[in-house]
């Protein structure tokens, strides 16, 4: 086995998941991620915990979407609900043999499947917010994702592991160092009422953040990590955001996305590619047109777009705004079956203002105590 898998598994179990003896840990992922699943399983057992494995072939989701009735797509599986109410930690792996396998599925079917997970998603986020459930998700470096990123598999593996500082002697020490700068930024933003993002490419978005908590994402939920986020005031988002990169959700892609907000809601949505899918997602329920998250990417080890939200939303010098469900721990109250992160690049003339004060320009913070590239 690639020794980097073993090292990553140690970080996920010991640092990210904080797994303790006697806990029940769910390890989930696709069949393609088997080597990483085995490495994580070994670390969970070594930690003295109990492991439950959930492995789902890619084709199963396609069969359900392609051949399932509306009743089947909307089915709320009670076993999933029971699991999320029982487990102490969830470690999820993402990866596909073919990232375009669902491109021909009608967007209305994806909407139904999204709605079926609404109760599950709410319970998951609620237990995570209360501290009852630790969770972390990461990407398994596979051929399809390497192709999306326009890299060879070996290049992509290097990209994945370096983005989490797995190549360093002590990755956890690096993440603890990054956490300090991110916490200072989060503490600063928690004293502000408003944040504004402006780019020469046409974004001018203002969000209310008064009374909301900014969360320091330092490798405990997503891995790799590197962002600070909050749930914006649901009725206070105004302006336009033009996203810089294609946005992928549920195996479907939309590009050239432009959203216009008025009093917190999307009142106009456009896309140069996948517009029908975008509109279907936004129309699936009352909360889908409201922002559930606003975040600033702070991982300067990630500098190139890879068509994978896990990495792209963390790019140092970007921000992302997610339509749909808010994370309760941020103070956000928006509920939806959707949570779709979309990324805007600030590195080409972009600016961030907090209560009118310029705090970031061209993707770099002006305060040296805020997140900076690791030297």
């Amino acid at each position: 086995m690639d020794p980097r898998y073993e090292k990553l598994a140690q970080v996920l179990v010991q640092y990210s998941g904080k797994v303790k003896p006697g806990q029940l840990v769910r390890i989930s992922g696709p069949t393609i991620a088997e080597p990483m699943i085995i490495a994580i399983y070994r670390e969970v057992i070594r930690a003295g915990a109990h492991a439950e494995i959930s492995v789902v072939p890619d084709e199963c989701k396609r069969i359900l979407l392609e051949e399932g009735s509306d009743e089947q797509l909307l089915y709320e599986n009670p076993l999933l609900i029971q699991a999320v109410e029982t487990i102490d930690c969830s470690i999820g792996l993402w990866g596909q043999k073919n990232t375009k396998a669902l491109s021909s599925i009608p967007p209305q079917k994806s909407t139904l499947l999204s709605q079926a997970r609404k109760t599950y998603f709410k319970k998951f986020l609620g237990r995570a917010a209360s501290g009852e459930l630790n969770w972390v998700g990461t990407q398994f470096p596979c051929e399809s994702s390497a192709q999306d990123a326009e890299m060879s598999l070996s290049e992509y593996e290097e990209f994945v592991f370096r983005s989490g500082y797995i190549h360093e002697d002590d990755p956890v020490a690096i993440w603890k160092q990054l956490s300090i700068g991110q916490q200072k930024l989060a503490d600063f933003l928690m004293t502000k009422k408003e944040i504004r993002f402006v780019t020469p490419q046409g974004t001018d978005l203002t969000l209310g953040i008064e009374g909301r908590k900014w969360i320091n994402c330092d490798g405990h939920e997503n891995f790799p990590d590197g962002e600070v986020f909050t749930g914006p005031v649901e009725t206070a988002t105004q302006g336009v955001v033009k996203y810089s990169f294609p946005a992928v959700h549920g195996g479907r892609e939309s590009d050239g996305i432009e959203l216009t907000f008025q009093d917190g809601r999307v009142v106009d949505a456009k896309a140069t590619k996948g517009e029908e899918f975008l509109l279907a997602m936004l129309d699936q329920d009352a909360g889908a047109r409201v922002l559930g998250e606003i975040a600033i990417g702070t991982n300067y080890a990630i500098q190139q777009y890879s068509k994978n939200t896990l990495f792209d939303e963390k790019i140092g010098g970007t921000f992302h705004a997610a339509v749909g469900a808010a994370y309760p721990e941020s103070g956000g109250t928006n509920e939806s079956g959707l949570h779709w992160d979309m990324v805007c690049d600030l590195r080409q003339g972009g600016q961030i203002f907090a209560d009118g004060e310029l705090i970031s320009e061209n993707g770099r913070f002006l305060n040296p105590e805020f997140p900076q590239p690791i030297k």
Side-chain angles (χ1 to χ4, degrees):
M1 181 179 289
D2 188 325
R4 294 174 297 183
Y5 289 179
E6 297 177 0
K7 196 170 181 181
L8 175 56
Q10 291 169 3
V11 173
L12 293 173
V13 173
Q14 297 172 19
Y15 174 73
S16 303
K18 302 177 184 176
V19 174
K20 297 178 177 61
Q23 288 189 328
L24 177 59
V25 182
R26 180 182 63 188
I27 306 168
S28 59
T31 51
I32 198 172
E34 181 180 338
M36 195 68 228
I37 291 171
I38 292 171
I40 294 170
Y41 184 89
R42 179 178 288 113
E43 288 303 317
V44 169
I45 296 302
R46 288 175 175 173
H50 310 289
E52 169 66 19
I53 297 177
S54 174
V55 181
V56 181
D58 293 350
E59 190 64 16
C60 291
K61 184 176 181 179
R62 179 170 179 85
I63 291 170
L64 178 59
L65 285 165
E66 203 169 47
E67 302 182 25
S69 65
D70 288 359
E71 180 184 1
Q72 289 173 305
L73 290 168
L74 284 167
Y75 181 65
E76 294 185 353
N77 189 333
L79 295 179
L80 286 179
I81 302 298
Q82 183 180 9
V84 80
E85 291 175 338
T86 305
I87 58 175
D88 301 297
C89 179
S90 175
I91 301 177
L93 293 167
W94 302 308
Q96 298 166 279
K97 292 181 180 178
N98 179 1
T99 59
K100 303 296 188 296
L102 304 180
S103 297
S104 62
I105 299 294
Q108 293 76 13
K109 292 209 162 193
S110 298
T111 298
L112 294 177
L113 198 59
S114 179
Q115 286 297 294
R117 291 180 66 83
K118 193 171 180 177
T119 300
Y120 168 86
F121 198 35
K122 183 178 180 179
K123 288 182 180 292
F124 186 100
L125 294 179
R127 288 198 71 216
S130 68
E132 299 174 57
L133 171 64
N134 290 331
W135 68 274
V136 62
T138 194
Q139 173 70 36
F140 179 76
C142 51
E143 288 277 9
S144 61
S145 296
Q147 289 171 341
D148 283 347
E150 298 183 2
M151 303 179 194
S152 68
L153 181 57
S154 60
E155 288 173 328
Y156 189 68
E157 287 174 331
E158 188 73 5
F159 167 78
V160 168
F161 292 121
R162 282 187 170 271
S163 67
Y165 299 98
I166 298 301
H167 64 292
E168 298 283 354
D169 291 338
D170 189 352
V172 171
I174 297 290
W175 282 105
K176 288 180 177 178
Q177 178 186 345
L178 290 168
S179 181
I180 293 171
Q182 291 182 179
Q183 190 60 52
K184 288 181 178 179
L185 174 60
D187 291 342
F188 169 81
L189 290 173
M190 275 191 277
T191 67
K192 304 303 177 182
K193 297 180 179 179
E194 186 178 273
I195 191 166
R196 181 185 177 204
F197 301 90
V198 181
T199 72
Q201 294 75 34
T203 291
D204 191 342
L205 189 69
T206 301
L207 306 99
I209 55 173
E210 185 175 10
R212 298 303 166 92
K213 183 178 180 180
W214 284 82
I215 309 295
N216 174 2
C217 298
D218 54 3
H220 286 101
E221 293 179 344
N222 283 339
F223 199 89
D225 221 330
E227 67 175 88
V228 296
F229 80 89
T230 193
V233 177
E234 288 73 21
T235 57
T237 304
Q238 309 283 355
V240 177
V241 56
K242 291 187 176 182
Y243 292 106
S244 309
F245 308 120
V248 181
H249 180 75
R252 295 289 298 271
E253 179 183 322
S254 295
D255 195 8
I257 297 174
E258 178 180 334
L259 303 180
T260 301
F261 288 86
Q262 184 177 324
D263 299 330
R265 296 189 63 81
V266 176
V267 294
D268 188 38
K270 304 173 185 174
T272 56
K273 176 184 177 182
E275 184 173 283
E276 181 186 3
F277 178 72
L278 171 68
L279 295 175
M281 292 297 102
L282 293 176
D283 290 336
Q284 67 178 268
D285 57 36
R289 284 182 174 256
V290 177
L291 285 185
E293 176 191 359
I294 184 68
I296 303 171
T298 57
N299 188 335
Y300 290 93
I302 308 174
Q303 284 294 289
Q304 66 185 105
Y305 173 69
S306 64
K307 202 175 279 191
N308 185 320
T309 305
L310 174 67
F311 302 99
D312 300 336
E313 69 176 9
K314 312 299 191 311
I315 294 173
T318 65
F319 81 90
H320 58 278
V323 285
Y327 293 101
E329 61 265 41
S330 70
T333 60
N334 194 50
E335 294 183 6
S336 174
L338 182 69
H339 184 91
W340 190 356
D341 293 291
M342 305 175 188
V343 184
C344 184
D345 200 342
L346 296 167
R347 294 173 293 176
Q348 303 298 320
Q351 297 174 311
I352 305 176
F353 299 87
D355 286 355
E357 175 191 353
L358 180 66
I359 64 168
S360 173
E361 193 161 28
N362 291 313
R364 295 292 177 91
F365 291 104
L366 304 185
N367 186 336
E369 292 190 339
F370 293 167
Q372 305 290 337
I374 295 288
K375 305 215 178 176

